[in-house]
Amino acid sequence: MTQLEHARAGRATAEMKAVAAAEPIAEADLVAAVAAGTVVIPANRNHRHLKPAGIGRGLRTKVNANIGTSGDFHGIEDERRKLQAVLDCGCDAVMDLSTGGDVTAIRRDLLARSPIPFGNVPVYEMMVDAPRQGTPFVSLAPGRMLEYLRRQAEDGVDFMTVHAGLTRRAIEQLRRRPRLAGIVSRGGSMLTAWMLHNDRENPLLERFDDLLAIAREFDVTLSLGDGLRPGALADGSDWAQLEELLTLGGLVQRARLAGVQVMVEGPGHLPLPQVEMNMRLQKEVCGGAPFYVLGPVVTDVAPGYDHVTAAIGSAVAGAAGADFLCYVTPAEHLGLPDVQDVRDGIMASRIAAHVADIAKGLPGAMDWDRRMAAARRRLDWDAQERLCLDAERFRQVRGRRATQTDACSMCGDFCVYKVLKDIDA
Ligand code: SF4
């Protein structure tokens, strides 16, 4: 049985008990939320040593980091170092998006080392591995696609991005109303190529019931991908994106009926005023399913700083109800991230997640800031270091320009907290 099915039967699993203990939610309320599908707990029954995390309404906003190889950089050691950075930075989940080297071996290696929920995009492994076995992706039979997916589920992948909502009808919308940036999802572009080449409907949609059966068997949480997410502000909230969202809403219902946990992915690139509308629309159309947003990046002109542009969008999205933030690194749109990019991307997303938790009124979120402000006023540097999101960064910056005073080198003896220390102001 899946977490969803246990919850419907009114049973709290070990995973639900662990999540309830770590979050500001009563166990019974969590069981009810999992049963309703507003919270998912990605926990494949074959993923050993997993520390489960809950994603959804009423819980802390979670952060995911994408790692993985490319054709140019395919060393496993680099990816192991990135995974370690993901764990060191307190990230909640990780996805392997490898497209270079032995992608099956790399996935298995990283999964075995990950105590946090581990996700992937099954199509990536198909598009890399199938041609090596002599079959170009566009010639891959739907049955073989499901074999790949089943092997990944069997190996213990906790959540999978499947672009099952990308339909021929939605692609037709793109033809009628052309976009500036076209299709920017790799999985979406591969499936579109398959559909056009074979003049057939999306195989993941046609075989959705078979896909659900695999997901249910291993309790893989489906993350319904948005293959037509906008890749430029100019394409935000366009017809094709919304057409796909409506299909995803229907697939959420089918997944829930089949006892499969499901969340939904969202944009992408959006102008800031459209972010809140997109969050509310998704929640409405998808029956309150947890929303996993990719940024969104809120301007296209800052490559090198897209961890910042995405964090701005993520904070607004989170405040409006997004539950799961996919980080964006400074390397986005420029190259494969290195370890420092991974760290910078995670910390920017964690800041956005906490900002969102305060805005959501999550119990305890604001208290953290109160404690930090009190420590700052006391000039209690040890407490500030303990309370800050990134203690290593705190030490680096504070140590760079030391002071002879008990304040910091910005104002020294003119520190407002020193000047007013003996006055009750
Ligand atoms: S010295 Fe200035 S910047 Fe530093 S803690 Fe005091 S008021 Fe703040």
Side-chain angles (χ1 to χ4, degrees), residues 376 379 381 407-412 414-417:
R376 194 169 278 155
L379 291 173
W381 298 100
C408 81
S409 57
M410 176 80 176
C411 325
F414 300 108
C415 171
V416 292
Y417 300 126

Side-chain angles (χ1 to χ4, degrees), residues 106-259:
I106 290 166
R107 172 175 49 73
R108 287 177 174 157
D109 184 282
L110 296 174
L111 176 52
R113 293 164 191 272
S114 174
I116 58 177
F118 188 95
N120 77 338
V121 184
V123 161
Y124 287 12
E125 195 166 331
M126 301 173 202
M127 73 190 192
V128 175
D129 190 63
R132 290 178 185 160
Q133 313 294 331
T135 310
F137 179 79
V138 290
S139 302
L140 201 58
R144 278 201 57 206
M145 291 186 187
L146 289 172
E147 284 169 19
Y148 273 101
L149 204 137
R150 184 182 177 82
R151 192 172 65 183
Q152 295 161 14
E154 227 163 13
D155 284 346
V157 174
D158 299 296
F159 62 104
M160 291 183 178
T161 295
V162 289
H163 301 95
L166 173 58
T167 58
R168 298 185 76 177
R169 194 180 140 109
I171 292 170
E172 184 54 33
Q173 295 300 341
L174 280 183
R175 282 221 174 96
R176 287 196 206 157
R177 301 171 177 82
R179 281 178 162 182
L180 188 62
I183 298 177
V184 298
S185 151
R186 277 187 290 186
S189 66
M190 293 305 292
L191 285 165
T192 302
W194 191 97
M195 290 155 72
L196 295 177
H197 179 83
N198 295 288
D199 194 20
R200 282 177 64 179
E201 186 51 280
N202 182 339
L204 299 182
L205 179 61
E206 283 197 326
R207 302 292 297 269
F208 196 62
D209 287 334
D210 297 319
L211 196 157
L212 287 174
I214 296 170
R216 181 172 177 271
E217 185 179 344
F218 298 95
D219 202 357
V220 173
T221 298
L222 292 186
S223 186
L224 297 176
D226 51 339
L228 295 179
R229 67 172 175 269
L233 265 65
D235 298 335
S237 311
D238 72 352
W239 202 287
Q241 180 201 329
L242 300 181
E243 167 80 39
E244 185 180 33
L245 178 63
L246 293 175
T247 307
L248 295 181
L251 296 181
V252 166
Q253 286 181 346
R254 284 175 65 184
R256 285 175 175 171
L257 278 172

Side-chain angles (χ1 to χ4, degrees), residues 376-419:
R376 194 169 278 155
R377 181 166 187 174
R378 292 195 310 272
L379 291 173
D380 182 342
W381 298 100
D382 291 338
Q384 289 179 63
E385 186 178 322
R386 276 197 307 277
L387 286 165
C388 72
L389 267 172
D390 186 346
E392 193 179 319
R393 178 97 177 131
F394 181 101
R395 282 191 296 275
Q396 270 172 11
V397 176
R398 182 158 165 76
R400 225 162 38 198
R401 297 198 137 180
T403 176
Q404 303 300 316
T405 72
D406 59 346
C408 81
S409 57
M410 176 80 176
C411 325
D413 280 331
F414 300 108
C415 171
V416 292
Y417 300 126
K418 282 167 70 71
V419 171

Side-chain angles (χ1 to χ4, degrees), residues 14-38:
E15 290 79 10
M16 290 179 216
K17 288 178 194 289
V19 169
E23 298 269 1
I25 189 169
E27 191 178 293
D29 292 340
L30 179 67
V31 172
V34 174
T38 57

